[in-house]
Coordinates of all heavy atoms in Angstrom, one line a residue:
M1 N -11.5 -41.1 -137.9 CA -12.1 -41.4 -136.6 C -12.8 -40.2 -136.1 O -12.2 -39.1 -136.1 CB -10.9 -41.9 -135.7 CG -11.4 -42.3 -134.4 SD -10.0 -43.0 -133.3 CE -9.6 -44.4 -134.2
N2 N -14.0 -40.4 -135.6 CA -14.7 -39.2 -135.1 C -14.3 -38.8 -133.7 O -13.8 -39.6 -132.9 CB -16.2 -39.4 -135.3 CG -16.8 -40.4 -134.4 OD1 -16.4 -40.6 -133.3 ND2 -17.8 -41.2 -134.9
L3 N -14.6 -37.6 -133.3 CA -14.3 -37.1 -132.0 C -15.0 -37.9 -130.9 O -14.3 -38.2 -129.8 CB -14.7 -35.6 -131.9 CG -14.4 -34.9 -130.6 CD1 -12.9 -35.0 -130.3 CD2 -14.8 -33.5 -130.6
E4 N -16.2 -38.4 -131.1 CA -16.8 -39.2 -130.1 C -16.1 -40.5 -129.8 O -16.0 -41.0 -128.7 CB -18.3 -39.4 -130.5 CG -19.1 -38.2 -130.4 CD -20.6 -38.4 -130.8 OE1 -21.1 -39.5 -130.3 OE2 -21.1 -37.6 -131.5
R5 N -15.5 -41.1 -130.9 CA -14.7 -42.3 -130.7 C -13.5 -42.0 -129.9 O -13.1 -42.8 -129.0 CB -14.3 -42.8 -132.1 CG -13.3 -43.9 -132.1 CD -13.9 -45.2 -131.5 NE -12.9 -46.3 -131.4 CZ -12.6 -47.2 -132.3 NH1 -13.3 -47.2 -133.4 NH2 -11.7 -48.1 -132.1
L6 N -12.8 -40.9 -130.1 CA -11.7 -40.5 -129.3 C -12.0 -40.3 -127.9 O -11.3 -40.7 -127.0 CB -11.0 -39.3 -129.9 CG -10.3 -39.5 -131.3 CD1 -9.7 -38.2 -131.8 CD2 -9.1 -40.5 -131.1
E7 N -13.2 -39.6 -127.7 CA -13.6 -39.4 -126.3 C -13.9 -40.7 -125.6 O -13.5 -40.9 -124.4 CB -14.9 -38.5 -126.3 CG -14.7 -37.1 -126.8 CD -13.8 -36.3 -126.0 OE1 -13.7 -36.5 -124.8 OE2 -13.1 -35.4 -126.5
W8 N -14.5 -41.6 -126.3 CA -14.8 -42.9 -125.7 C -13.5 -43.7 -125.4 O -13.3 -44.2 -124.3 CB -15.7 -43.8 -126.7 CG -15.9 -45.1 -126.2 CD1 -15.3 -46.3 -126.5 CD2 -16.9 -45.5 -125.2 NE1 -15.8 -47.3 -125.8 CE2 -16.8 -46.9 -125.0 CE3 -17.9 -44.8 -124.5 CZ2 -17.7 -47.6 -124.1 CZ3 -18.7 -45.5 -123.6 CH2 -18.6 -46.9 -123.5
D9 N -12.6 -43.7 -126.3 CA -11.4 -44.5 -126.2 C -10.5 -44.0 -125.1 O -9.7 -44.7 -124.5 CB -10.6 -44.6 -127.5 CG -11.3 -45.6 -128.5 OD1 -12.2 -46.3 -128.1 OD2 -10.8 -45.6 -129.6
F10 N -10.5 -42.7 -124.8 CA -9.6 -42.1 -123.9 C -10.2 -41.8 -122.5 O -9.6 -41.1 -121.7 CB -8.9 -40.8 -124.5 CG -7.9 -41.2 -125.5 CD1 -8.2 -41.3 -126.8 CD2 -6.6 -41.4 -125.1 CE1 -7.2 -41.7 -127.7 CE2 -5.6 -41.7 -126.0 CZ -5.9 -41.8 -127.3
R11 N -11.4 -42.3 -122.3 CA -12.0 -42.1 -121.0 C -11.8 -43.3 -120.1 O -11.5 -44.4 -120.6 CB -13.5 -41.7 -121.1 CG -14.4 -42.9 -121.3 CD -15.9 -42.5 -121.1 NE -16.2 -41.4 -121.9 CZ -17.2 -41.3 -122.7 NH1 -18.1 -42.3 -122.8 NH2 -17.5 -40.2 -123.4
Y12 N -12.0 -43.2 -118.8 CA -11.9 -44.4 -117.9 C -13.2 -45.1 -118.0 O -14.3 -44.6 -118.0 CB -11.7 -43.9 -116.5 CG -11.8 -45.0 -115.5 CD1 -10.7 -45.9 -115.4 CD2 -12.8 -45.1 -114.6 CE1 -10.8 -47.0 -114.5 CE2 -12.9 -46.2 -113.7 CZ -11.8 -47.1 -113.6 OH -11.9 -48.1 -112.7
H13 N -13.1 -46.5 -118.1 CA -14.2 -47.3 -118.2 C -14.2 -48.3 -117.0 O -13.4 -49.2 -116.9 CB -14.2 -48.2 -119.5 CG -14.1 -47.4 -120.7 ND1 -15.2 -46.8 -121.3 CD2 -13.1 -47.0 -121.5 CE1 -14.9 -46.1 -122.3 NE2 -13.6 -46.2 -122.5
K14 N -15.0 -47.9 -116.0 CA -15.0 -48.7 -114.7 C -15.5 -50.1 -115.0 O -16.6 -50.2 -115.5 CB -15.9 -48.0 -113.7 CG -15.8 -48.7 -112.3 CD -16.6 -47.9 -111.3 CE -16.4 -48.7 -110.0 NZ -17.0 -48.0 -108.9
P15 N -14.8 -51.1 -114.6 CA -15.2 -52.5 -114.9 C -16.3 -53.0 -113.9 O -16.2 -52.6 -112.8 CB -13.9 -53.3 -114.8 CG -13.1 -52.5 -113.8 CD -13.4 -51.1 -114.1
D16 N -17.2 -53.8 -114.4 CA -18.1 -54.4 -113.5 C -17.5 -55.7 -113.1 O -16.3 -56.1 -113.5 CB -19.5 -54.7 -114.2 CG -19.4 -55.5 -115.5 OD1 -18.4 -56.2 -115.7 OD2 -20.4 -55.5 -116.3
E17 N -18.1 -56.5 -112.3 CA -17.6 -57.8 -111.7 C -17.2 -58.7 -112.9 O -16.1 -59.4 -112.8 CB -18.5 -58.5 -110.8 CG -18.5 -57.9 -109.4 CD -19.4 -58.7 -108.4 OE1 -19.3 -60.0 -108.5 OE2 -20.1 -58.1 -107.7
V18 N -18.0 -58.8 -113.9 CA -17.7 -59.8 -115.0 C -16.4 -59.3 -115.7 O -15.6 -60.1 -116.0 CB -18.9 -59.9 -115.9 CG1 -18.6 -60.7 -117.2 CG2 -20.1 -60.5 -115.2
A19 N -16.3 -58.0 -116.0 CA -15.1 -57.5 -116.7 C -13.9 -57.7 -115.8 O -12.8 -58.1 -116.4 CB -15.3 -56.0 -117.0
V20 N -14.0 -57.5 -114.5 CA -12.8 -57.8 -113.6 C -12.4 -59.2 -113.7 O -11.2 -59.5 -113.9 CB -13.2 -57.4 -112.2 CG1 -12.1 -57.9 -111.2 CG2 -13.4 -55.9 -112.0
E21 N -13.3 -60.2 -113.8 CA -13.0 -61.6 -113.9 C -12.3 -61.9 -115.3 O -11.4 -62.6 -115.4 CB -14.2 -62.4 -113.7 CG -14.7 -62.4 -112.3 CD -16.1 -63.1 -112.1 OE1 -16.6 -63.7 -113.1 OE2 -16.6 -63.0 -111.0
R22 N -12.8 -61.2 -116.3 CA -12.3 -61.4 -117.7 C -10.9 -60.8 -117.8 O -10.0 -61.5 -118.4 CB -13.2 -60.8 -118.7 CG -14.5 -61.6 -118.8 CD -15.6 -60.9 -119.6 NE -15.2 -60.6 -120.9 CZ -15.8 -59.6 -121.6 NH1 -16.7 -58.8 -121.1 NH2 -15.4 -59.3 -122.8
H23 N -10.7 -59.7 -117.2 CA -9.3 -59.1 -117.1 C -8.4 -60.0 -116.4 O -7.2 -60.3 -116.9 CB -9.3 -57.7 -116.4 CG -9.9 -56.6 -117.2 ND1 -9.3 -56.1 -118.3 CD2 -11.0 -55.8 -116.9 CE1 -10.1 -55.1 -118.8 NE2 -11.1 -54.9 -117.9
A24 N -8.8 -60.6 -115.3 CA -7.9 -61.5 -114.5 C -7.6 -62.7 -115.3 O -6.5 -63.2 -115.3 CB -8.6 -61.8 -113.2
A25 N -8.6 -63.3 -116.0 CA -8.4 -64.5 -116.8 C -7.3 -64.2 -117.9 O -6.4 -65.1 -118.1 CB -9.7 -65.0 -117.4
L26 N -7.5 -63.1 -118.6 CA -6.5 -62.7 -119.6 C -5.1 -62.5 -119.0 O -4.1 -63.0 -119.6 CB -6.9 -61.5 -120.3 CG -7.9 -61.6 -121.4 CD1 -8.5 -60.3 -121.8 CD2 -7.2 -62.2 -122.6
R27 N -5.0 -61.8 -117.9 CA -3.7 -61.6 -117.3 C -3.1 -62.9 -116.9 O -1.9 -63.1 -117.1 CB -4.0 -60.7 -116.0 CG -2.7 -60.1 -115.4 CD -2.9 -59.1 -114.4 NE -4.0 -59.4 -113.4 CZ -5.2 -58.9 -113.4 NH1 -5.6 -58.0 -114.3 NH2 -6.1 -59.3 -112.5
N28 N -3.8 -63.8 -116.3 CA -3.3 -65.1 -115.9 C -2.8 -65.9 -117.1 O -1.7 -66.5 -117.1 CB -4.3 -65.9 -115.1 CG -4.6 -65.3 -113.8 OD1 -3.8 -64.6 -113.2 ND2 -5.8 -65.5 -113.2
A29 N -3.6 -65.9 -118.2 CA -3.2 -66.7 -119.4 C -1.9 -66.1 -120.0 O -1.0 -66.8 -120.4 CB -4.3 -66.7 -120.4
C30 N -1.9 -64.8 -120.0 CA -0.7 -64.1 -120.6 C 0.5 -64.4 -119.7 O 1.7 -64.6 -120.2 CB -0.9 -62.6 -120.8 SG -2.1 -62.3 -122.1
H31 N 0.4 -64.3 -118.4 CA 1.4 -64.6 -117.5 C 2.0 -66.1 -117.7 O 3.2 -66.3 -117.8 CB 1.0 -64.5 -116.0 CG 1.9 -65.0 -115.1 ND1 1.9 -66.3 -114.6 CD2 3.0 -64.5 -114.5 CE1 2.9 -66.6 -113.8 NE2 3.6 -65.4 -113.6
D32 N 1.1 -67.0 -117.9 CA 1.5 -68.4 -118.1 C 2.2 -68.5 -119.4 O 3.2 -69.3 -119.5 CB 0.2 -69.3 -118.1 CG -0.4 -69.5 -116.8 OD1 0.2 -69.0 -115.7 OD2 -1.5 -70.0 -116.7
L33 N 1.8 -67.8 -120.5 CA 2.5 -67.9 -121.7 C 3.9 -67.2 -121.6 O 4.9 -67.8 -122.1 CB 1.7 -67.2 -122.8 CG 2.4 -67.1 -124.2 CD1 2.8 -68.5 -124.7 CD2 1.5 -66.4 -125.2
A34 N 4.0 -66.1 -120.9 CA 5.3 -65.5 -120.7 C 6.2 -66.4 -119.9 O 7.4 -66.4 -120.3 CB 5.1 -64.1 -120.0
V35 N 5.7 -67.1 -118.9 CA 6.6 -68.0 -118.2 C 7.1 -69.1 -119.1 O 8.2 -69.5 -119.0 CB 5.8 -68.5 -116.9 CG1 6.6 -69.7 -116.3 CG2 5.6 -67.4 -115.9
L36 N 6.1 -69.7 -119.9 CA 6.5 -70.7 -120.8 C 7.6 -70.2 -121.8 O 8.6 -71.0 -122.0 CB 5.3 -71.2 -121.6 CG 5.5 -72.2 -122.7 CD1 6.1 -73.5 -122.1 CD2 4.3 -72.5 -123.5
I37 N 7.5 -69.1 -122.4 CA 8.5 -68.5 -123.3 C 9.8 -68.3 -122.5 O 10.9 -68.7 -123.0 CB 8.0 -67.2 -123.8 CG1 6.8 -67.4 -124.8 CG2 9.1 -66.4 -124.6 CD1 6.1 -66.1 -125.2
N38 N 9.7 -67.8 -121.3 CA 10.9 -67.6 -120.5 C 11.7 -68.9 -120.2 O 12.9 -69.0 -120.3 CB 10.6 -66.9 -119.2 CG 11.8 -66.5 -118.4 OD1 12.6 -65.8 -118.9 ND2 11.9 -67.0 -117.2
D39 N 10.9 -70.0 -119.9 CA 11.5 -71.3 -119.6 C 12.0 -72.0 -120.9 O 13.0 -72.7 -120.8 CB 10.5 -72.2 -118.9 CG 10.2 -71.7 -117.5 OD1 10.9 -70.8 -117.0 OD2 9.2 -72.2 -116.9
A40 N 11.3 -71.8 -122.0 CA 11.6 -72.6 -123.2 C 12.7 -71.9 -124.1 O 13.3 -72.6 -124.9 CB 10.4 -72.7 -124.1
C41 N 13.0 -70.7 -123.9 CA 13.9 -69.9 -124.8 C 15.1 -69.4 -124.0 O 15.0 -69.0 -122.9 CB 13.2 -68.7 -125.4 SG 11.7 -69.2 -126.4
Q42 N 16.2 -69.5 -124.7 CA 17.4 -68.9 -124.1 C 17.3 -67.4 -124.1 O 16.6 -66.8 -125.0 CB 18.6 -69.3 -124.9 CG 19.0 -70.7 -124.9 CD 20.2 -71.1 -125.7 OE1 20.8 -70.2 -126.3 NE2 20.6 -72.3 -125.7
D43 N 18.0 -66.7 -123.2 CA 17.9 -65.3 -123.2 C 18.4 -64.7 -124.5 O 19.5 -65.1 -125.0 CB 18.8 -64.7 -122.1 CG 18.2 -64.9 -120.7 OD1 17.0 -65.2 -120.6 OD2 18.9 -64.8 -119.7
S44 N 17.6 -63.9 -125.1 CA 18.0 -63.3 -126.4 C 17.0 -62.1 -126.7 O 16.0 -61.9 -126.1 CB 17.8 -64.4 -127.5 OG 16.5 -64.8 -127.6
R45 N 17.4 -61.4 -127.8 CA 16.5 -60.3 -128.3 C 15.2 -60.9 -128.6 O 14.1 -60.3 -128.3 CB 17.2 -59.7 -129.4 CG 16.4 -58.6 -130.1 CD 17.1 -57.9 -131.2 NE 16.3 -56.9 -131.8 CZ 15.5 -57.1 -132.9 NH1 15.4 -58.3 -133.4 NH2 14.7 -56.2 -133.4
E46 N 15.2 -62.1 -129.3 CA 13.9 -62.7 -129.8 C 13.0 -63.0 -128.6 O 11.8 -62.8 -128.7 CB 14.2 -63.9 -130.6 CG 14.9 -63.6 -132.0 CD 16.4 -63.3 -131.9 OE1 17.0 -63.5 -130.8 OE2 17.0 -63.0 -132.9
K47 N 13.6 -63.6 -127.6 CA 12.8 -63.9 -126.4 C 12.2 -62.7 -125.7 O 11.1 -62.7 -125.4 CB 13.7 -64.6 -125.3 CG 13.1 -64.9 -124.0 CD 14.1 -65.6 -123.1 CE 13.6 -65.7 -121.7 NZ 14.5 -66.4 -120.8
S48 N 13.0 -61.6 -125.6 CA 12.5 -60.4 -125.1 C 11.4 -59.8 -125.9 O 10.4 -59.3 -125.4 CB 13.7 -59.3 -125.0 OG 14.6 -59.7 -124.1
L49 N 11.5 -59.9 -127.2 CA 10.5 -59.4 -128.1 C 9.2 -60.3 -128.0 O 8.1 -59.7 -127.9 CB 10.9 -59.4 -129.6 CG 11.9 -58.3 -129.9 CD1 12.5 -58.5 -131.3 CD2 11.2 -56.9 -129.8
A50 N 9.4 -61.6 -127.8 CA 8.2 -62.4 -127.7 C 7.4 -62.1 -126.4 O 6.2 -62.0 -126.4 CB 8.6 -63.9 -127.7
I51 N 8.2 -61.9 -125.3 CA 7.5 -61.5 -124.0 C 6.9 -60.1 -124.2 O 5.7 -59.9 -123.7 CB 8.5 -61.6 -122.9 CG1 8.8 -63.1 -122.7 CG2 7.9 -61.0 -121.6 CD1 9.9 -63.4 -121.6
T52 N 7.5 -59.2 -124.8 CA 6.9 -57.9 -125.1 C 5.6 -58.0 -125.8 O 4.6 -57.3 -125.5 CB 7.9 -57.0 -125.8 OG1 9.1 -56.8 -125.0 CG2 7.3 -55.6 -126.1
K53 N 5.6 -58.9 -126.9 CA 4.4 -59.0 -127.7 C 3.3 -59.6 -126.8 O 2.1 -59.3 -127.0 CB 4.7 -59.9 -128.9 CG 5.6 -59.2 -129.9 CD 5.2 -57.9 -130.3 CE 6.2 -57.2 -131.3 NZ 5.7 -55.9 -131.7
V54 N 3.6 -60.5 -125.9 CA 2.6 -61.1 -125.0 C 2.0 -59.9 -124.1 O 0.8 -59.8 -123.9 CB 3.1 -62.2 -124.1 CG1 2.1 -62.6 -123.1 CG2 3.5 -63.4 -125.0
E55 N 2.9 -59.1 -123.6 CA 2.4 -57.9 -122.9 C 1.5 -57.0 -123.7 O 0.5 -56.6 -123.2 CB 3.6 -57.1 -122.4 CG 4.4 -57.7 -121.3 CD 5.6 -56.8 -120.9 OE1 6.5 -56.6 -121.7 OE2 5.6 -56.4 -119.7
E56 N 1.9 -56.8 -124.9 CA 1.1 -55.9 -125.8 C -0.3 -56.6 -126.1 O -1.3 -55.9 -126.1 CB 1.8 -55.7 -127.1 CG 3.0 -54.8 -127.0 CD 3.8 -54.7 -128.4 OE1 3.4 -55.3 -129.4 OE2 4.8 -54.0 -128.4
A57 N -0.3 -57.9 -126.3 CA -1.5 -58.6 -126.5 C -2.4 -58.5 -125.3 O -3.7 -58.2 -125.4 CB -1.3 -60.1 -126.9
M58 N -1.9 -58.6 -124.1 CA -2.6 -58.5 -122.9 C -3.2 -57.1 -122.8 O -4.4 -56.9 -122.4 CB -1.8 -58.8 -121.7 CG -2.5 -58.7 -120.3 SD -1.4 -59.0 -118.9 CE -0.3 -57.6 -119.0
L59 N -2.4 -56.1 -123.1 CA -2.9 -54.7 -123.0 C -4.0 -54.4 -123.9 O -5.1 -53.8 -123.6 CB -1.8 -53.7 -123.2 CG -0.7 -53.7 -122.1 CD1 0.5 -52.9 -122.5 CD2 -1.2 -53.1 -120.8
W60 N -3.9 -54.8 -125.2 CA -4.9 -54.6 -126.2 C -6.2 -55.4 -125.9 O -7.3 -54.9 -126.0 CB -4.4 -54.9 -127.6 CG -3.6 -53.8 -128.1 CD1 -2.3 -53.9 -128.4 CD2 -4.0 -52.5 -128.3 NE1 -1.8 -52.7 -128.8 CE2 -2.8 -51.8 -128.8 CE3 -5.1 -51.7 -128.2 CZ2 -2.8 -50.4 -129.1 CZ3 -5.2 -50.4 -128.5 CH2 -4.0 -49.8 -129.0
A61 N -6.0 -56.6 -125.4 CA -7.2 -57.4 -125.0 C -7.9 -56.8 -123.8 O -9.2 -56.7 -123.8 CB -6.8 -58.9 -124.7
N62 N -7.2 -56.3 -122.9 CA -7.8 -55.6 -121.7 C -8.5 -54.3 -122.2 O -9.6 -54.0 -121.7 CB -6.8 -55.3 -120.6 CG -6.6 -56.5 -119.8 OD1 -7.5 -57.3 -119.4 ND2 -5.4 -56.7 -119.4
A63 N -7.9 -53.6 -123.2 CA -8.6 -52.4 -123.7 C -9.9 -52.8 -124.4 O -10.9 -52.1 -124.3 CB -7.7 -51.7 -124.7
A64 N -9.9 -53.9 -125.1 CA -11.1 -54.4 -125.8 C -12.2 -54.7 -124.8 O -13.4 -54.3 -125.0 CB -10.8 -55.7 -126.6
I65 N -11.9 -55.3 -123.7 CA -12.9 -55.5 -122.6 C -13.4 -54.2 -122.1 O -14.6 -53.9 -121.9 CB -12.3 -56.4 -121.5 CG1 -12.1 -57.8 -122.0 CG2 -13.3 -56.4 -120.3 CD1 -11.3 -58.7 -121.1
A66 N -12.4 -53.3 -121.7 CA -12.8 -52.0 -121.1 C -13.6 -51.2 -122.0 O -14.5 -50.5 -121.6 CB -11.5 -51.3 -120.7
R67 N -13.3 -51.2 -123.3 CA -14.0 -50.3 -124.3 C -15.2 -50.9 -124.9 O -15.8 -50.3 -125.8 CB -13.0 -49.9 -125.3 CG -11.9 -49.0 -124.8 CD -10.9 -48.8 -125.9 NE -9.8 -47.9 -125.5 CZ -8.8 -47.7 -126.3 NH1 -8.7 -48.2 -127.5 NH2 -7.8 -47.0 -125.8
E68 N -15.6 -52.1 -124.6 CA -16.8 -52.7 -125.3 C -18.0 -51.9 -124.9 O -18.0 -51.1 -124.0 CB -16.9 -54.2 -124.9 CG -17.2 -54.5 -123.5 CD -17.1 -56.0 -123.2 OE1 -16.5 -56.8 -124.0 OE2 -17.7 -56.4 -122.2
N69 N -19.1 -52.2 -125.6 CA -20.3 -51.5 -125.5 C -20.2 -50.1 -125.9 O -20.9 -49.2 -125.3 CB -20.9 -51.6 -124.0 CG -21.1 -53.1 -123.6 OD1 -21.5 -53.9 -124.4 ND2 -20.7 -53.4 -122.4
R70 N -19.3 -49.8 -126.8 CA -19.2 -48.5 -127.4 C -20.5 -48.0 -128.0 O -21.1 -48.8 -128.8 CB -18.1 -48.5 -128.4 CG -17.8 -47.2 -129.1 CD -16.7 -47.3 -130.1 NE -15.4 -47.7 -129.6 CZ -14.8 -48.8 -130.0 NH1 -15.2 -49.5 -131.0 NH2 -13.6 -49.1 -129.4
P71 N -20.9 -46.8 -127.7 CA -22.1 -46.3 -128.4 C -22.0 -46.2 -129.9 O -20.9 -46.0 -130.4 CB -22.4 -44.9 -127.7 CG -21.2 -44.7 -126.9 CD -20.3 -45.8 -126.8
E72 N -23.1 -46.4 -130.6 CA -23.1 -46.3 -132.0 C -22.4 -45.0 -132.5 O -21.7 -45.0 -133.5 CB -24.5 -46.5 -132.6 CG -24.6 -46.7 -134.0 CD -23.9 -48.1 -134.5 OE1 -24.0 -49.0 -133.7 OE2 -23.3 -48.1 -135.6
S73 N -22.7 -43.9 -131.9 CA -22.1 -42.7 -132.3 C -20.6 -42.6 -132.2 O -20.0 -41.7 -132.7 CB -22.8 -41.5 -131.5 OG -22.4 -41.7 -130.1
A74 N -20.0 -43.5 -131.4 CA -18.5 -43.5 -131.2 C -17.8 -44.6 -132.0 O -16.7 -44.9 -131.7 CB -18.3 -43.7 -129.7
K75 N -18.5 -45.1 -133.0 CA -17.9 -46.2 -133.8 C -17.2 -45.7 -135.0 O -17.4 -44.6 -135.5 CB -18.9 -47.2 -134.2 CG -19.4 -48.0 -133.0 CD -20.3 -49.1 -133.3 CE -20.6 -49.9 -132.0 NZ -21.4 -51.0 -132.2

C-alpha cells in the first residue's frame, strides 16, 4: 500500500448532501437488521456477534462512501 493511499484513507472526507443521505440509508437498514436479529434470537454469544458484524458492516460501508473518488495516485 502506498503512502498516498494511507494519507487518503486516514483523512477526513467531508460528505456532500448525497453522501449524507447514503450514510443515513445504510444506518437505517443496519438498524433494522439489528432489531430483527435482536427480536428473532435469544440472548447469546452468537446473537451478540451477529449484531457486532452488522455494526462492522455499517462502518465499512460508510467508509466506502466516505473514501470514494480516491485519486488514481492513492489506489
Side-chain angles (χ1 to χ4, degrees):
M1 185 174 294
N2 68 38
L3 182 58
E4 290 180 43
R5 169 70 186 265
L6 290 174
E7 295 295 331
W8 178 261
D9 286 350
F10 285 90
R11 82 169 51 131
Y12 175 70
H13 304 277
K14 185 175 181 175
D16 59 18
E17 278 187 43
V18 173
V20 169
E21 291 172 7
R22 292 165 60 204
H23 284 296
L26 275 167
R27 190 171 45 256
N28 292 335
C30 290
H31 170 267
D32 291 348
L33 179 55
V35 169
L36 177 61
I37 292 168
N38 189 57
D39 292 344
C41 302
Q42 294 181 358
D43 288 345
S44 63
R45 177 177 177 270
E46 293 81 6
K47 175 181 169 178
S48 294
L49 286 169
I51 291 173
T52 297
K53 296 303 179 183
V54 173
E55 289 178 298
E56 289 175 0
M58 181 182 67
L59 292 170
W60 283 116
N62 280 320
I65 292 170
R67 294 175 180 173
E68 64 188 21
N69 301 320
R70 181 182 297 124
E72 192 63 37
S73 61
K75 291 187 179 184

